[in-house]
Amino acid sequence: MKLTELKGIGPKKAEKFERLGLFTAEDVIHAFPREYEDRRNIKKISELVPEETAMVRGTIRALKKGRYTGRGKRTLRLLIEDGSGTMEVLFFNAGYMERGLSSKAGRERTYWFFGKVSENAGYPVMLHPSMGRVEEDGGDDRILPVYPLTSGLTQNDRRKAAAGALAVREKGRDPLPEEVRKRNELCDLDFALENIHFPASDKHMRVAKYRLIYEELLMFSLGLGLMKNLFSQTLSNFVLDPAPYEKELIYGLPYELTQDQKDTIRDICRDMTSERRMNRLVQGDVGSGKTVVSAAAIYKVIRNGYQAALMAPTEILAQQHYETFKALFEGTGIRVRLLTSGLPAAKRREALEGLAEGETDLVIGTHAIFGKNVKYKSLALVVTDEQHRFGVSQREALSKKGKEPHILVMTATPIPRTLALVMYGDMDISIIRDKPAGRKEIRTRVCPAEKRKTAYDFLHKELEKGRQAYIVAPLIGSSDALQVRSAEEIYEETKKTLAPFRTELIHGRMSPAEKDRIMTAFKNGEISALVSTVVIEVGINVPNATVMLIENAERFGLAQMHQLRGRVGRGEEQSYCILVLEGDTEVAQQRAQVMEESGDGFVIAEKDLQLRGTGEFFGLRQHGVPEMRIADIYRHSKVLKRTGPEAEALLTEDPLLQLPKNEEIRDRIFEMYGDLDPGL
Ligand code: ADP
Ligand code: MG
């Protein structure tokens, strides 16, 4: 149901909701409160204690307007009495309230005030309390939900929308079967939704919350189990010849492989020559050299007379791999093809034919390589680079392609072991920890915002040496609400300050073709400095780029900064990462310090998890953890454990969740896991 169909929400308000990602009544219901206001703590003014949050009812005895500030705002002071004593209430910028309150009628009314109590010269004070007329809503002395807001949207709007959406919601349905609820002492869905928004008591709220967390984690467990069943470790259809063909490729390399690279290649070859199908994850920090590892695997498969496919998350990465592999396989007779959705029709047809007839040995591309009409003659290995494992829909699509090929997933997002165990229960894992020899450490320095100019001067010097730089900002356009320099603003500035060097802007709202054009120009050295949001493609390789400057670094997560930093330090030259910090909150300082001290993605991931919790842990989605509404796999790990046996029982009875009674569960899992690709 559309939001505008709810009472009190017109197109204007609906737009505000949309800004929060809420489009339907269902969305509103599933956007759970961030916290609650307990307005039941009704106090006499004489009983108020500083620091507590309380509800007071009283009348206005005096009203005093402050002076206007430069911005046309002024304070409003109210003296409130309730028979037991007087309290001061202070609003900043409350011009819109003045008239109603100072009218005669206004003076006679009883108001309620809810807020945190402080003290001024012995008197109780409330700063910016919530307030209302008692005759209108009885003082609202309940537990009320608190939601995230955006400008033009008040708590009241959100509460009304939630109440309205709950009222029209179809009741009596529940994705959790009754026996599951009984066994685990869970309330039903109607109760849970009602009480997560408008709890009748603390206990109601806890019961509701537990049920919703349990449900979400059960879906999570079921999703993992379903994917495992869809992609089960069947017997291999492509048991490869154990002859070490891959050595031919390795001998030809201009460098020595690191021990971890060698070990990983050995793991992969062991898998592919065994009776079982391979399903392996290779985890290696940015720059650890995963590409050549995958090349060894691909080479072996092709020498066995089969085909291989390499999937990248973006066109530009696919293009880059195409070039790398053509060079790596030069003179071997291996036929490599690029297949992206941007390909002209004729070329595309040619590529499809090549695959179907087995004339192409290796295809490199985006999702296009698993498109509906793509047929393979003998696909034995699928490699995905820098991305998630497959979502459920992709697994279904893939299992229909040919004869269940070997799977190799490569990722640069380091994931703490504790999480990896839960998430990759169905995969074998190889880790590449050491860096290729001779790599220079990237020098990382924190720069307070006041000294920004020094940072840019430094960057300028690097450009003068013929190097290139990335400048990353948290937002595209400017925002009044946040103290943030936007990519657009920085671009306008650097266009001038870095002249004559060419600066360009790139961000996620551009068309793929446009992004492509700019990235290619940057790769070719036609652009010196690239201002961007975090869209800089993971895995992009521009060895001549030596500076990564991150603006408003306090707004980035650790793992995210580490990923960004990995864009530089790819060539011979010394590279630098500069973190410009606005403000000096403790967490931001801590993070920046971790960045200065460590270049190890695993150490950083562990710290990130400690500092931020899984909620915002960068890259979780890439790892196949769907976005959660209320649960946190790390914080609620005990509940997660409890869902394990329940998920197993359900899947034993119905391995692919196809029974009619499980339909709702299946729908929900597809919604969560259907397509995990964050780039889509
Ligand atoms: P990532 O793991 O981030 O995908 P790449 O595979 O792109 O890293 O490798 C980064 C660079 O390191 C490439 O230019 C590659 O040729 C080079 N490289 C890979 N392995 C080694 C090695 N053992 N010694 C030296 N250079 C290497
Ligand atoms: Mg890579």
Side-chain angles (χ1 to χ4, degrees):
M1 188 193 258
K2 280 214 218 108
L3 278 181
T4 42
E5 288 173 53
L6 293 179
K7 233 169 77 187
I9 301 186
K12 274 247 172 64
K13 277 273 182 265
E15 224 169 79
K16 306 275 156 65
F17 278 94
E18 280 170 18
R19 242 196 269 157
L20 294 170
L22 307 172
F23 296 87
T24 64
E26 274 296 299
D27 291 344
V28 167
I29 289 175
H30 289 108
F32 303 136
R34 179 157 54 87
E35 55 187 1
Y36 298 88
E37 274 179 19
D38 187 350
R39 295 194 176 172
R40 294 165 309 168
N41 185 22
I42 301 174
K43 281 280 168 78
K44 289 202 177 105
I45 289 177
S46 59
E47 295 168 354
L48 289 177
V49 183
E51 292 306 302
E52 86 173 330
T53 302
M55 181 80 164
V56 166
R57 289 169 182 175
T59 52
I60 300 174
R61 202 175 95 193
L63 181 147
K64 194 171 160 199
K65 298 162 194 171
R67 255 192 244 122
Y68 279 103
T69 66
R71 297 179 143 195
K73 296 174 180 177
R74 63 171 166 183
T75 55
L76 178 66
R77 247 171 235 280
L78 305 176
L79 209 56
I80 306 299
E81 63 178 7
D82 70 348
S84 79
T86 53
M87 150 178 108
E88 191 178 308
V89 166
L90 195 60
F91 291 104
F92 301 106
N93 184 27
Y96 64 97
M97 291 169 52
E98 285 174 13
R99 185 130 28 104
L101 294 178
S102 52
S103 69
K104 181 158 181 295
R107 295 299 189 91
E108 281 161 6
R109 285 186 193 118
T110 309
Y111 294 92
W112 57 262
F113 301 88
F114 175 81
K116 192 166 163 193
V117 181
S118 52
E119 200 175 341
N120 181 15
Y123 283 100
V125 181
M126 277 190 192
L127 288 182
H128 273 284
S130 305
M131 76 175 280
R133 280 195 245 156
V134 170
E135 64 187 65
E136 266 183 1
D137 55 19
D140 245 357
D141 46 353
R142 299 182 289 157
I143 304 176
L144 282 179
V146 177
Y147 304 95
L149 301 176
T150 181
S151 80
L153 207 62
T154 64
Q155 279 304 342
N156 229 357
D157 291 332
R158 291 223 44 179
R159 286 169 187 157
K160 271 199 206 137
L166 283 168
V168 297
R169 178 179 161 273
E170 183 192 343
K171 311 237 166 16
R173 284 160 52 120
D174 196 326
L176 295 186
E178 195 177 340
E179 71 226 51
V180 174
R181 298 203 306 263
K182 270 225 176 97
R183 253 199 307 276
N184 298 283
E185 301 181 334
L186 305 169
C187 66
D188 66 38
L189 184 62
D190 294 340
F191 180 97
L193 291 178
E194 200 62 55
N195 282 283
I196 196 74
H197 289 283
F198 301 102
S201 72
D202 292 328
K203 176 142 192 256
H204 283 70
M205 191 259 283
R206 280 197 304 273
V207 169
K209 200 165 172 179
Y210 183 79
R211 135 90 209 210
L212 293 167
I213 290 172
Y214 185 96
E215 174 182 334
E216 197 157 43
L217 292 175
L218 178 63
M219 296 298 164
F220 175 66
S221 299
L222 281 169
L224 289 177
L226 175 65
M227 288 202 279
K228 196 166 166 179
N229 289 349
L230 273 168
F231 230 47
S232 58
Q233 299 244 357
T234 42
L235 288 182
S236 170
N237 291 312
F238 305 98
V239 181
L240 302 190
D241 178 354
Y245 291 111
E246 65 283 359
K247 294 256 155 71
E248 296 167 14
L249 180 80
I250 295 167
Y251 286 141
L253 294 173
Y255 45 76
E256 173 83 4
L257 291 179
T258 64
Q259 190 57 44
D260 284 349
Q261 283 175 315
K262 287 183 194 162
D263 290 348
T264 304
I265 293 174
R266 198 201 50 220
D267 290 345
I268 293 169
C269 291
R270 203 187 326 103
D271 288 350
M272 293 197 302
T273 52
S274 82
E275 297 294 310
R276 272 175 45 210
R277 177 188 185 198
M278 174 168 74
N279 191 11
R280 181 170 293 276
L281 174 83
V282 173
Q283 207 175 48
D285 215 343
V286 277
S288 62
K290 295 183 291 295
T291 315
V292 68
V293 167
S294 75
I298 290 169
Y299 188 86
K300 189 178 183 76
V301 162
I302 294 172
R303 278 288 173 260
N304 272 262
Y306 300 118
Q307 291 173 305
L310 171 62
M311 179 157 86
T314 62
E315 306 237 333
I316 178 109
L317 270 183
Q319 177 77 38
Q320 184 178 294
H321 274 316
Y322 177 65
E323 278 150 27
T324 306
F325 276 84
K326 266 207 319 207
L328 269 171
F329 290 165
E330 207 188 302
T332 62
I334 291 176
R335 294 153 302 183
V336 188
R337 273 244 180 221
L338 183 67
L339 179 60
T340 60
S341 41
L343 224 54
K347 283 238 157 186
R348 185 180 160 78
R349 207 168 323 116
E350 216 179 280
L352 293 187
E353 274 170 26
L355 284 173
E357 279 154 29
E359 272 155 28
T360 299
D361 302 306
L362 168 63
V363 64
I364 297 178
T366 53
H367 289 82
I369 63 175
F370 297 120
K372 262 209 189 78
N373 39 27
V374 185
K375 300 213 165 46
Y376 292 86
K377 178 137 188 278
S378 57
L379 179 66
L381 171 65
V382 173
V383 181
T384 69
D385 184 32
E386 303 290 8
Q387 75 180 36
H388 63 80
R389 63 228 232 124
F390 295 101
V392 264
S393 345
Q394 288 157 341
R395 284 187 186 219
E396 280 197 333
L398 196 62
S399 61
K400 286 178 195 139
K401 287 254 177 266
K403 293 197 303 184
E404 304 197 311
H406 295 295
I407 300 292
L408 186 63
V409 173
M410 299 193 296
T411 178
T413 319
I415 199 114
R417 188 154 179 77
T418 31
L419 281 181
L421 284 180
V422 180
M423 282 158 25
Y424 293 110
D426 62 328
M427 295 190 106
D428 298 309
I429 304 182
S430 300
I431 297 179
I432 306 181
R433 271 198 105 119
D434 21 280
K435 290 252 156 91
R439 273 292 150 75
K440 290 207 175 84
E441 186 106 349
I442 301 166
R443 287 205 193 123
T444 303
R445 286 291 171 269
V446 176
C447 168
E450 313 85 72
K451 296 202 180 138
R452 179 178 276 122
K453 183 159 181 318
T454 335
Y456 278 89
D457 286 347
F458 177 80
L459 189 150
H460 203 159
K461 287 226 176 68
E462 284 291 301
L463 299 189
E464 276 165 0
K465 288 191 210 157
R467 311 280 138 68
Q468 289 163 281
Y470 298 96
I471 302 169
V472 178
L475 292 180
I476 303 174
S478 63
S479 149
D480 287 341
L482 303 169
Q483 251 214 351
V484 162
R485 281 157 55 84
S486 72
E488 277 168 358
E489 286 165 332
I490 295 165
Y491 169 60
E492 288 306 323
E493 243 174 70
T494 50
K495 233 179 8 183
K496 291 179 210 125
T497 55
L498 296 180
F501 295 104
R502 182 168 157 210
T503 306
E504 280 291 344
L505 176 68
I506 187 169
H507 58 69
R509 283 199 216 131
M510 290 173 167
S511 71
E514 178 100 33
K515 279 195 277 191
D516 219 83
R517 194 180 52 73
I518 295 175
M519 278 319 300
T520 308
F522 187 65
K523 273 188 86 163
N524 296 340
E526 294 152 28
I527 296 173
S528 295
L530 195 61
V531 181
S532 82
T533 52
V534 286
V535 293
I536 304 181
E537 320 282 356
V538 183
I540 206 76
N541 196 18
V542 182
N544 190 45
T546 54
V547 183
M548 167 59 67
L549 188 152
I550 304 179
E551 287 267 7
N552 288 100
E554 74 284 354
R555 302 191 65 85
F556 289 91
L558 263 177
Q560 199 172 18
M561 285 193 275
H562 179 66
Q563 290 267 7
L564 288 170
R565 179 168 61 181
R567 300 301 112 234
V568 297
R570 298 184 153 240
E572 308 278 294
E573 307 300 334
Q574 176 63 50
S575 285
Y576 306 88
C577 175
I578 307 171
L579 307 171
V580 180
L581 271 191
E582 194 84 55
D584 52 0
T585 69
E586 200 177 318
V587 178
Q589 298 278 7
Q590 276 174 331
R591 275 200 228 131
Q593 205 178 337
V594 174
M595 286 291 292
E596 278 188 341
E597 283 164 8
S598 180
D600 182 334
F602 285 89
V603 173
I604 289 174
E606 227 27 281
K607 291 267 186 211
D608 202 25
L609 203 56
Q610 270 172 26
L611 288 171
R612 307 219 295 177
T614 41
E616 297 173 74
F617 185 72
F618 179 70
L620 272 190
R621 228 173 121 62
Q622 287 180 20
H623 276 275
V625 175
E627 261 172 283
M628 302 261 176
R629 292 165 176 160
I630 190 166
D632 180 320
I633 50 174
Y634 204 61
R635 211 147 37 94
H636 303 132
S637 59
K638 275 199 188 127
V639 188
L640 179 61
K641 235 187 215 142
R642 273 174 233 151
T643 64
E646 207 58 74
E648 214 175 293
L650 270 162
L651 286 168
T652 307
E653 186 194 28
D654 184 8
L656 298 180
L657 296 177
Q658 286 161 327
L659 295 179
K661 67 168 183 175
N662 291 328
E663 197 183 318
E664 226 166 308
I665 295 185
R666 190 183 156 90
D667 286 353
R668 175 82 178 100
I669 289 173
F670 265 78
E671 197 184 295
M672 284 171 84
Y673 282 98
D675 181 33
L676 294 166
D677 192 340
L680 277 186

